[in-house]
Amino acid sequence: MDKFYLTAGLFAALLTGCGKHASRQAMPPLRVEVAEAAVDSVPNRMSFIGYLASNFDAVIQPRVNGYLSSKRYGNGMPVKRGQLLFTIDPDQLSTSMLAAEAQLESARAQAIEARNNYDRAVPLAKIDAISQSQLDQYTAQWKAAEASVRAAEQTLSSARMNVGYAELRSPIDGIIEHTAAHVGDYVGPGTQFSVLTTVSNIDTLTVDVAIPMSQYLRYAGDRTSIYDNEGLLSDIRLVLADGTQYPHAGLYDYTRKDVSSTTGTLVLVVMFPNPDETLKPGQFARVEANVGPVRPRVVVPQQGVSQAQDLSSVWVVTADSTAQYRRVTPGDTYGALWCIDEGLEPGERIVVSGQQKLRNGAKVIPEKR
């Protein structure tokens, strides 16, 4: 009797399994949302990481030696062109100027005496009262005295300039750094304080954009010079650390002369205007720009592309409404679209909704989104 029930149970289980298999075969095709792979003119959008830098720095160097008598600015604060930054004790410089003035007066007096001697010697030479050699001597003394006057004038002019150099003023508008020198330190050429500080221009800030040479050669087109990259970058934008986009667009400035031997990149310098002084040198920056000319690309909605373990794939709906799994090579994203570099042809339909229910070879009912 037990054998009978066991046989009946197995028979019932087989019938149930066959019924389930039959029901799976009889399942209706899934309705899926599809979109066509299209061709669009897509820019080669690239992102670069860097730091903002001053457009140029003005180095503040004392031209004369002396003791620092005052400092007239706050470290790290904005300064204006012509603003007084430092003063050097002018007493020693003023003494040198007074000595140069006295030397000039003496030279002028000697020149007057030499000219008078020459004027008296000329008529005497005409009547042979003195020899020609004596006249030549008076002439030489007069010319030498005049040269001494010119030399003394130059010495006085230099001394006056040195007195003016006792005041150091900012040559540009910008942000000033701190100084290691303190009031009372001996500063100037040949001392440990030959450079006092720098003023950084912040009207315009720059960022280095490093493009791998492989990508540069792909996008550069028929450029005749690797140093002339005007127009290579377009729609240059700066993204700040908090993710917001800086309102002012950037401009290409120049290309640095060397290709990096360690990274194999070509460095282009782009600049951003800073009229409101909201940017600061050293600030982190992400630059986004179109590189090279716009070219046609195969694009699909991003929802249609699945990624797992560095593999990208799509579900393609064939002409007979069959779902086909296919690996693809994606490129850049472009808004809500994804560029597909390999694996998909224009006009092919891909599933953009319901991919998790699909299996390879399954029949589907495609519906355009």
Side-chain angles (χ1 to χ4, degrees), residues 159-188:
R160 284 174 176 167
M161 283 193 299
N162 287 341
V163 171
Y165 293 151
E167 293 186 345
L168 284 77
R169 299 179 180 273
S170 177
I172 60 171
D173 295 344
I175 299 294
I176 193 166
E177 290 186 0
H178 74 284
T179 180
H182 297 87
V183 172
D185 287 333
Y186 191 70
V187 301

Side-chain angles (χ1 to χ4, degrees), residues 45-116:
R45 195 73 176 168
M46 295 181 66
S47 181
F48 310 91
I49 301 300
Y51 294 90
L52 293 169
S54 170
N55 192 27
F56 64 90
D57 297 328
V59 179
I60 307 301
Q61 296 177 279
R63 299 188 183 186
V64 293
N65 294 87
Y67 292 98
L68 197 64
S69 59
S70 70
K71 170 191 165 189
R72 305 291 186 87
Y73 69 90
N75 293 334
M77 296 300 292
V79 294
K80 295 293 184 181
R81 180 179 180 180
Q83 179 177 333
L84 182 62
L85 304 178
F86 302 96
T87 57
I88 296 174
D89 186 359
D91 290 346
Q92 181 179 354
L93 301 174
S94 298
T95 300
S96 299
M97 184 179 69
L98 293 175
E101 289 177 347
Q103 183 182 358
L104 176 59
E105 291 301 320
S106 175
R108 284 173 175 169
Q110 292 176 8
I112 291 173
E113 181 184 7
R115 177 61 187 267
N116 290 336

Side-chain angles (χ1 to χ4, degrees), residues 8 30 34 38 41-43 57 62 113-114 153 185 194 198 201 203 213 249 271 282 293 306 308 311 323 336 355 361:
L30 290 172
V34 298
S41 296
V42 179
D57 297 328
E113 181 184 7
E153 289 174 343
D185 287 333
S194 58
T198 58
N201 171 265
D203 292 341
M213 281 301 298
M271 53 187 180
S306 300
L311 295 177
Q355 298 98 314

Side-chain angles (χ1 to χ4, degrees), residues 93-232:
L93 301 174
S94 298
T95 300
S96 299
M97 184 179 69
L98 293 175
E101 289 177 347
Q103 183 182 358
L104 176 59
E105 291 301 320
S106 175
R108 284 173 175 169
Q110 292 176 8
I112 291 173
E113 181 184 7
R115 177 61 187 267
N116 290 336
N117 291 338
Y118 169 76
D119 289 341
R120 285 192 293 266
V122 170
L124 294 176
K126 289 182 179 179
I127 61 174
D128 296 328
I130 61 173
S131 65
Q132 183 63 38
S133 62
Q134 288 178 306
L135 178 61
D136 292 341
Q137 184 178 0
Y138 285 124
T139 303
Q141 290 174 349
W142 171 42
K143 296 299 182 182
E146 286 188 331
S148 296
V149 170
R150 290 193 294 271
E153 289 174 343
Q154 291 299 320
T155 301
L156 177 58
S157 177
S158 177
R160 284 174 176 167
M161 283 193 299
N162 287 341
V163 171
Y165 293 151
E167 293 186 345
L168 284 77
R169 299 179 180 273
S170 177
I172 60 171
D173 295 344
I175 299 294
I176 193 166
E177 290 186 0
H178 74 284
T179 180
H182 297 87
V183 172
D185 287 333
Y186 191 70
V187 301
T191 71
Q192 63 174 322
F193 301 114
S194 58
V195 174
L196 294 180
T197 187
T198 58
V199 179
S200 300
N201 171 265
I202 58 171
D203 292 341
T204 302
L205 297 184
T206 64
V207 181
D208 284 358
V209 170
I211 302 178
M213 281 301 298
S214 59
Q215 293 183 331
Y216 173 81
L217 296 173
R218 187 192 314 165
Y219 299 143
D222 56 353
R223 293 180 179 274
T224 57
S225 173
I226 197 173
Y227 300 104
D228 181 13
N229 291 296
E230 184 72 34
L232 178 66

Side-chain angles (χ1 to χ4, degrees), residues 298-314:
V298 176
V299 294
V300 296
Q302 291 189 30
Q303 307 95 299
V305 181
S306 300
Q307 288 188 310
Q309 298 181 348
D310 297 329
L311 295 177
S312 300
S313 62
V314 296

